[in-house]
Amino acid sequence: MPRKISRKGLINKLDRIFSEYIRKKNADNKGFVTCITSNKKYYYSEVDAGHFISRKEMSTRWHEDNVWPQSRYDNRYRYGKQYEYSLALEKKKPDLPKHLYNLSKKTVKYSISDLEEMVEKYKNLLEKENKRLYL
């Protein structure tokens, strides 16, 4: 019988799958993405899946509008360039930064089965992106 994965283990697994999905979903057919904050192009494997609202807010942690390809430098060393990030989101959808902020204030506690469902959902979506990108 396979060992049961812990809640923390599921969250880590979901983070990895979701991050890869976000980066590949936003990639062109050659695998290149545009950084949300600098507008520079990078190969999908060279960027982070940068969060506008911090990952510590569970209600927006895996919200696709909250997470976009972002250069590792901007994400890790420039605090996500949050102001530039908000301007880019506003261009994508008016009031999106405000909507995500309000959503982030809601308390969400995902059950083990919720997390398992999301892992499956994003595994399937990632598979489709891998086929699209011939990976």
Side-chain angles (χ1 to χ4, degrees):
M1 194 164 120
R3 196 174 63 93
K4 196 115 168 87
I5 189 166
S6 69
R7 187 171 192 289
K8 187 169 174 34
L10 272 171
I11 288 171
N12 290 339
K13 184 176 186 175
L14 180 54
D15 281 343
R16 277 191 313 277
I17 293 167
F18 183 76
S19 167
E20 190 177 343
Y21 167 69
I22 288 296
R23 290 176 289 128
K24 287 179 176 175
K25 171 186 120 171
N26 289 286
D28 65 19
N29 289 336
K30 291 186 171 135
F32 285 87
V33 296
T34 301
C35 171
I36 185 122
T37 48
S38 71
N39 274 324
K40 291 181 185 164
K41 286 219 178 250
Y42 298 90
Y43 195 63
Y44 80 88
S45 61
E46 298 171 336
V47 297
D48 288 344
H51 290 67
F52 173 60
I53 303 288
S54 167
R55 284 186 343 157
K56 76 177 195 268
E57 305 300 340
M58 295 304 276
S59 55
T60 50
R61 186 174 186 140
W62 301 292
H63 192 295
E64 290 185 38
D65 285 341
N66 184 50
V67 187
W68 295 86
Q70 188 174 37
S71 77
R72 290 179 180 159
Y73 183 73
D74 284 358
N75 189 36
R76 298 177 191 186
Y77 305 110
R78 303 193 75 198
Y79 307 101
K81 288 181 78 176
Q82 202 171 32
Y83 178 70
E84 290 87 344
Y85 206 134
S86 72
L87 295 177
L89 289 179
E90 189 69 40
K91 275 185 195 163
K92 290 181 183 298
K93 203 183 289 179
D95 288 332
L96 182 56
K98 188 190 297 181
H99 170 71
L100 291 169
Y101 175 78
N102 291 334
L103 201 56
S104 77
K105 297 302 162 203
K106 292 186 165 82
T107 303
V108 173
K109 173 98 169 150
Y110 291 107
S111 68
I112 296 280
S113 65
D114 291 334
L115 293 168
E116 288 169 340
E117 278 177 33
M118 286 193 289
V119 164
E120 279 312 301
K121 172 187 172 181
Y122 284 107
K123 248 191 205 172
N124 293 332
L125 288 169
L126 180 56
E127 230 173 80
K128 287 180 184 161
E129 291 304 322
N130 283 337
K131 283 182 183 145
R132 180 180 69 84
L133 296 168
Y134 302 104
L135 298 171

